[in-house]
Amino acid sequence: MIIRSPHPEIAVPDIALTPYILRHAERLAAKPALIDGLSGRTLTYGEFARAIRSTAAGLSDRGFSAGDVFAIYAPNCIEYAIAFHAVSWLGGVTTTVNPAYTADELEHQLKDSGASRLLTTPELMAKAEPAAHGAGISEIYVVGEAEGAIPFSDVSKSDGDLPAAIVDTAKYTVALLYSSGTTGLPKGVMLTHQNLVANIEQTAAVGVYGEDDVALCLLPIFHSFGLQVLLNVGLAAGATLVLLPRFEIESFLAAVEQYGVTYTALVPPIVLILSAHEAVDRYDVSRLQRITCGAAPLSAAVSRACANRLGCAVEQGYGLTETAPVTHVTIPGRNVEGKIGPLAPNTEAKIVDLVSGESLGANSPGELWVRGPQVMKGYHKRPEATAAMIDGDGWLHTGDIACVDDEGSFAIVDRLKELIKYKGYQVAPAELEAVLLTHPSVADAAVIPSPDLETGEIPKAFVVVRNPVTAEELMAFVADRVAPHKKVRRVEFIDRIPKSPTGKILRRVLVEQERLALATTI
């Protein structure tokens, strides 16, 4: 049974991403488009459009052209938006990098993506410079000033005004975001102009937010959730976006009050904090109307507690980096706690039995498959991984176990995929296992998600040792080699890692043991 969206079909315009984003810029020239939530620095839509064109001209003058790859390794800032859309304007590709990445992790992504330029900040130069050197990056740009880098403001000083590149919207990749898919190490997700424009239109058609809104962009722009649901959807709608580089409860609440924020998108750990933190009582958050929560499951209890505390709607959505990212979105005013809502316009789904492969009907759990114009072009340089994720009929196999009710509203009930979702960030067990196996005292290792109230899940390692070693030593060893969100936070020593006859780690066995062990302690 194919499940279809309850929304009417929409026409997806055949237009490149940035001209599409800027189609209201002249009409809204004097309206604030981007505000730095800490400093108050503001760019109007007119200034933003001019900055994109002048930066594109400056990059072109320096030899950057269509098809080239530009990496951004920075927290949320106004320059992030300018750089992304200047590259898009030229027909280039932006690969976004988690600013918490180590130099080695950054270098890996730079090499894999084929990036030739890198934008970063002074605070990250100590990691960016050696990574860029190792990856053969031709130029490093920096927001502000730093030794060894070209000030990004110098690139934006060009007097040129290049027309937007002519691109095949269905074929040209505009964003190369890294995701682990269902398993393994991070892979580059190739999202085309058509993917992003389609998903903006799909989200906008449901009325998530619009021109009259002030949206707080706290979620990192390097992630598809922040890039699309906040930055691009907001700009395309003509909303005002307030950017924050990181979550701190006081600065978050101060920005909501100062700028009259009406909408934001968050991840479950932040929703949990807002539901109970005493600082909420010191700020006026009365203009905040709606919060969309995604990237990881949100319990009905936490959703209800946050909604009551802030006096606003807290709704869920669902998607993947591979779907640009939205496939399900709650209709405003029709929130069902614990549900991710119905399908977005122009999107189809199946619930597939895990054993027989047959399509199931309502109220029967199975793997969620989705199909629509937002589904990625594929994984960068990984055709086998692409074929494993998207079948010959265009169905993307999400790896999540879902259930749909009689009204067409979905709920995620479990996950086939082996990814760990720590505060909404994806952590690949295979990557941590590879690090652990380099320790001289480790004979074998497996990493699984361990449930955690505050973060959703944390990486837990099961370790077989060859020499005496403590859990603390192993956790410190891993922490020195990975980004903070990837740290192993629990270790259990065991005699043998369960594996299949072909040598595949049976993580499901360990997950079930972990759930049983936790249940007996409650």
Side-chain angles (χ1 to χ4, degrees), residues 5-11 205 344-347:
S5 171
H7 302 286
E9 289 281 307
I10 59 172
N346 298 37
T347 306

Side-chain angles (χ1 to χ4, degrees), residues 41-276:
R41 176 189 166 207
T42 300
L43 233 60
T44 66
Y45 271 92
E47 292 166 337
F48 180 52
R50 287 191 292 274
I52 289 171
R53 294 187 180 103
S54 65
T55 302
L59 288 172
S60 179
D61 290 344
R62 305 184 78 92
F64 188 89
S65 60
D68 290 345
V69 181
F70 187 101
I72 304 180
Y73 179 58
N76 291 0
C77 60
I78 289 174
E79 287 78 10
Y80 206 124
I82 294 170
F84 180 89
H85 282 289
V87 170
S88 166
W89 187 264
L90 291 171
V93 181
T94 296
T95 187
T96 61
V97 189
N98 186 340
Y101 268 12
T102 64
D104 288 344
E105 290 168 321
L106 170 61
E107 182 177 340
H108 170 77
Q109 184 168 330
L110 294 175
K111 287 180 176 178
D112 189 77
S113 65
S116 62
R117 318 295 169 96
L118 172 66
L119 172 65
T120 190
T121 63
E123 296 77 15
L124 295 172
M125 276 295 292
K127 293 187 289 183
E129 192 167 23
H133 178 75
I137 294 293
S138 61
E139 290 185 336
I140 303 176
Y141 309 119
V142 66
V143 178
E145 294 185 355
E147 186 176 349
I150 300 164
F152 187 64
S153 57
D154 287 356
V155 180
S156 303
K157 288 178 180 177
S158 173
D159 295 327
D161 190 10
L162 293 178
I166 298 173
V167 301
D168 184 328
T169 60
K171 293 182 179 179
Y172 273 52
T173 300
V174 65
L176 184 59
L177 311 183
Y178 275 69
S179 165
S180 296
T182 56
T183 58
L185 296 172
K187 298 176 284 291
V189 175
M190 297 184 292
L191 297 173
T192 66
H193 289 260
Q194 184 183 82
N195 290 150
L196 298 194
V197 170
N199 206 231
I200 295 167
E201 286 280 324
Q202 290 169 308
T203 307
V206 182
V208 175
Y209 63 114
E211 189 173 316
D212 295 332
D213 282 297
V214 176
L216 184 61
C217 185
L218 169 70
L219 296 182
I221 300 173
F222 79 80
H223 192 283
S224 61
F225 198 2
L227 176 66
Q228 278 283 89
V229 176
L230 286 166
L231 184 69
N232 285 336
V233 170
L235 291 171
T240 294
L241 294 174
V242 179
L243 306 178
L244 286 178
R246 68 191 64 84
F247 177 72
E248 294 169 347
I249 185 69
E250 298 282 353
S251 59
F252 174 89
L253 294 169
V256 171
E257 178 180 279
Q258 180 179 353
Y259 300 107
V261 170
T262 59
Y263 172 82
T264 192
L266 302 172
V267 291
I270 296 177
V271 173
L272 177 62
I273 291 170
L274 292 173
S275 70

Side-chain angles (χ1 to χ4, degrees), residues 271 275 298-315 335-338:
V271 173
S275 70
L298 178 70
S299 73
V302 173
S303 174
R304 189 180 314 118
C306 185
N308 292 338
R309 186 76 189 280
L310 300 181
C312 69
V314 178
E315 301 161 349
N335 182 42
V336 179
E337 292 173 346

Side-chain angles (χ1 to χ4, degrees), residues 383-391 397:
E384 290 138 5
T386 301
M389 190 72 166
I390 305 172
D391 65 28
H397 301 195

Side-chain angles (χ1 to χ4, degrees), residues 11 24 85 114 130 177 246 249 251 343 375 382 420-421 430 491:
H24 302 311
H85 282 289
L177 311 183
R246 68 191 64 84
I249 185 69
S251 59
L343 289 163
V375 172
R382 288 168 171 79
I420 300 163
K421 283 290 189 75
V491 173

